[in-house]
């Protein structure tokens, strides 16, 4: 074996390669550490500490205060283990790995196309999704909530909390403006369209749930700097939905259909609060595990979202194509369209003096217009015996996704045109 020594000058001016045969016997070979790197913060004026090696070896490596000798054992069959060919091979391998990770992480960029394809496939060939029955909705939503938790941290919230007025505006839009719209359209459904009470209840239930996690991604695509604010608003509405949603449901629907408030609270805790908290805990205390699974979450989330969009349509296809289904479709479109528009223009009036008013308008429009319809669907299947209650949430899943990502494309292109 031959040994090369790397001398780090304590004045931080650079490295020198030394080949000292006299030192071959004094220092061991560190096969378990073939490459050693030294961040600048590891060094100080009185000496150098080599983390990961026994103290005896560290004292042997020290040479007064002049510097530190580090050994790297290599095979005699390789004249230069860090030659150009090896560097090129390592670089190519790293590029391939980064390209693969980029593909995985960028899977969310195909989400609008996947949602549209799932909708068309569910309408043309319902059996492709009917196997994904109602019992899978809660675990699927729990997985999406877990992915949100894994990709969030306390740092995301610190910057966003500097805009409490915007957070409050998003919360009011979520749990005041939208329930009023839902109640109004639910009343119109019965009084004007003559729809059964169960369909009106489904519209009202959809208006009472928290914001959609897809609004965070839509905001990221349009205004990346606003993504933390969107996360905070969605997290706040999701966390408090455990109490607000059952209460609003009781107020709006309780006189029309029986509402199990305690059951709803328990169910929301299981499929929303617990998965998000689990993801945050894992990200905080086990970051290595999160780093390992995080690249896999985007493609899995897209796949799960596709199932959650296509399955409700496929299962309720007969109700959707009926005359009453067309009426519900019209009312759901009116509900989300009104929410998007009101969220945009009301926030413009409230924050017209803000320097980033347009970005705030887009963010609050997404937050107001995109609803956690999957949660409404899970609650409808769990706590209402009439299957018609689940029809409006099922339609809402598709409509709010298509509208939201249509706005993403329009606003993104508009921003690019302005920049040009």
């Amino acid at each position: 074996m031959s040994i090369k020594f790397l001398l780090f000058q304590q004045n931080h001016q650079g490295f020198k390669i030394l080949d000292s045969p006299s030192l071959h016997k004094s220092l061991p070979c560190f096969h378990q550490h073939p490459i050693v790197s030294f961040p600048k913060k590891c060094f100080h004026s009185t000496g150098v500490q080599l983390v990961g090696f026994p103290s005896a070896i560290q004292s042997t490596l020290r040479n007064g205060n002049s510097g530190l000798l580090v050994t790297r054992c290599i095979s005699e069959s390789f004249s230069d283990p860090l030659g150009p060919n090896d560097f090129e091979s390592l670089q190519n391998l790293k590029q391939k790995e980064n390209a693969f990770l980029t593909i995985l992480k960028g899977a969310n960029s195909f989400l609008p196309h996947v949602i549209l394809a799932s909708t068309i496939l569910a309408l043309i060939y319902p059996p492709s999704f009917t196997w994904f029955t109602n019992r899978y909705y809660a675990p699927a939503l729990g997985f999406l909530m877990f992915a949100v938790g894994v990709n969030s941290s306390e740092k995301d919230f610190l910057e966003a909390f500097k805009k409490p007025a915007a957070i409050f505006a998003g919360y009011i839009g979520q749990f005041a403006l939208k329930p009023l719209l839902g109640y109004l359209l639910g009343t119109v459904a019965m009084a004007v369209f003559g729809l059964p009470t169960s369909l009106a209840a489904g519209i009202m239930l959809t208006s009472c749930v928290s914001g959609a996690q897809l609004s965070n991604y839509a905001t990221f695509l349009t205004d990346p700097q606003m993504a933390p604010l969107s996360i905070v608003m969605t997290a706040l509405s999701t966390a408090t939905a455990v109490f607000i949603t059952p209460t609003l449901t009781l107020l709006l629907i309780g006189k029309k259909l029986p509402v199990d408030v305690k059951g709803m609270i328990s169910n929301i805790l299981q499929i929303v609060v617990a998965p998000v908290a689990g993801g945050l805990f894992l990200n905080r205390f086990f970051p290595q595990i999160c780093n390992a699974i995080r690249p896999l979450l985007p493609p899995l989330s897209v796949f799960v979202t596709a199932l959650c969009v296509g399955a409700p349509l496929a299962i309720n296809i007969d109700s959707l194509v009926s005359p009453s289904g067309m009426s519900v479709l019209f009312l759901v479109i009116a509900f989300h369209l009104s929410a998007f528009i009101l969220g945009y223009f009301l926030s413009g009036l409230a924050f017209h003096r803000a320097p980033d008013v347009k970005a705030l308008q887009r963010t609050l429009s997404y937050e107001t217009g995109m609803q956690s319809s999957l949660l409404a669907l899970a609650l409808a299947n769990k706590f209402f015996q009439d299957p018609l209650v689940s029809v409006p949430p099922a339609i809402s899943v598709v409509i709010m996704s298509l509208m939201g990502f249509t706005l993403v494309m329009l606003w993104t292109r508009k921003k690019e045109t302005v920049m040009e």
Side-chain angles (χ1 to χ4, degrees):
M1 300 293 291
S2 64
I3 302 177
K4 288 187 178 181
F5 295 90
L6 184 63
L7 176 62
F8 182 81
Q9 301 294 338
Q10 194 169 349
N11 59 9
H12 296 183
Q13 292 180 352
F15 294 91
K16 292 182 179 179
I17 299 295
L18 303 179
D19 200 347
S20 178
S22 62
L23 293 176
H24 286 188
K25 297 181 180 180
S26 63
L27 296 175
C29 293
F30 305 119
H31 296 283
Q32 68 272 31
H33 299 285
I35 298 177
V36 181
S37 61
F38 298 92
K40 188 175 181 179
K41 63 182 180 180
C42 294
F43 302 96
H44 51 82
S45 60
T46 58
V48 179
Q49 184 71 19
L50 183 59
V51 179
F53 292 92
S55 58
I57 296 178
Q58 294 185 31
S59 62
T60 304
L61 292 176
R62 294 182 186 276
N63 183 15
N65 290 326
S66 61
L68 175 67
L69 288 174
V70 181
T71 66
R72 182 180 186 275
C73 299
I74 59 174
S75 172
E76 290 182 351
S77 59
F78 295 97
S79 59
D80 188 1
L82 298 176
N85 293 334
D86 296 298
F87 273 123
E88 185 177 354
S89 300
L90 289 173
Q91 187 175 7
N92 292 336
L93 182 62
K94 187 174 182 180
Q95 288 178 349
K96 291 180 180 179
E97 181 181 358
N98 290 338
F100 179 70
L101 292 177
T102 301
I103 293 173
L104 291 178
K105 294 178 181 178
N108 281 337
S109 62
F110 299 100
L111 189 56
H113 309 85
V114 172
I115 290 174
L116 181 60
S118 301
T119 303
I120 296 173
L121 183 60
L123 293 174
I124 295 177
Y125 188 65
S128 58
F129 289 99
T130 50
W131 61 271
F132 195 79
T133 57
N134 296 343
R135 63 178 179 175
Y136 295 119
Y137 293 156
L141 183 60
F143 171 77
L144 294 177
M145 297 298 100
F146 173 77
V148 171
V150 168
N151 287 282
S152 302
S153 68
E154 61 274 11
K155 293 181 181 179
D156 296 328
F157 300 93
L158 294 178
E159 185 67 25
F161 277 119
K162 295 180 181 179
K163 298 179 179 180
I167 296 174
F168 179 73
Y171 195 81
I172 293 298
Q174 195 65 244
F175 285 133
L177 177 62
K178 292 172 79 169
L180 287 176
L181 286 174
Y183 183 78
L184 175 63
L185 292 173
T187 303
V188 169
M190 293 184 293
V192 178
F193 291 90
L195 297 178
T197 303
S198 54
L199 288 175
I203 296 174
M204 295 179 188
L205 176 63
T206 303
S207 69
C208 293
V209 293
S210 57
Q213 280 66 41
L214 287 179
S215 66
N216 307 149
Y217 183 60
T219 300
F220 173 74
L221 292 178
T222 310
D223 301 285
Q225 76 280 7
M226 291 293 174
L229 177 63
S230 178
I231 291 174
V232 169
M233 290 190 291
T234 302
L236 183 60
S237 66
T238 300
T240 56
V242 66
F243 304 110
I244 301 296
T245 295
T247 302
L248 289 173
T249 304
L250 179 63
L251 292 174
L252 299 184
I253 309 175
K255 295 180 179 180
K256 301 175 178 61
L257 293 175
V259 177
D260 183 2
V261 177
K262 292 183 179 179
M264 280 191 175
I265 292 176
S266 175
N267 200 244
I268 294 174
L269 281 172
Q270 294 175 22
I271 65 179
V272 177
V273 179
V276 171
L280 287 171
F281 177 83
L282 197 67
N283 192 23
R284 178 65 178 84
F285 295 101
F286 301 96
Q288 293 181 347
I289 297 178
C290 285
N291 292 336
I293 66 174
R294 191 174 284 118
L296 301 176
L297 292 179
L300 289 176
S301 297
V302 170
F303 177 69
V304 170
T305 302
L307 293 176
C308 292
V309 169
L313 282 179
I315 293 173
N316 298 281
I317 188 67
D318 294 333
S319 299
L320 179 62
V321 298
S322 65
S324 61
M326 292 294 102
S327 300
V328 173
L329 176 62
F330 172 79
L331 291 170
V332 170
I333 291 176
F335 168 73
H336 285 290
L337 184 61
S338 301
F340 277 115
I341 293 175
L342 289 174
Y344 185 84
F345 286 104
L346 291 180
S347 59
L349 293 175
F351 303 102
H352 64 279
R353 295 183 179 180
D356 52 355
V357 58
K358 289 299 181 181
L360 275 174
Q361 285 183 269
R362 290 188 287 263
T363 301
L364 287 167
S365 179
Y366 289 135
E367 192 65 24
T368 308
M370 303 183 77
Q371 199 83 345
S372 185
S373 304
L374 284 176
L375 176 59
L377 185 61
L379 295 176
N381 291 325
K382 180 77 174 180
F383 298 105
F384 295 92
Q385 295 181 353
D386 194 333
L388 289 179
V389 178
S390 64
V391 174
I395 297 175
S396 175
V397 172
V398 181
I399 296 303
M400 70 98 178
S401 301
L402 292 177
M403 283 187 175
F405 287 105
T406 298
L407 286 175
V408 168
M409 290 186 289
L410 292 176
W411 279 332
T412 303
R413 291 178 182 176
K414 185 176 180 180
K415 285 181 61 180
E416 292 175 352
T417 303
V418 172
M419 292 178 64
E420 291 176 357

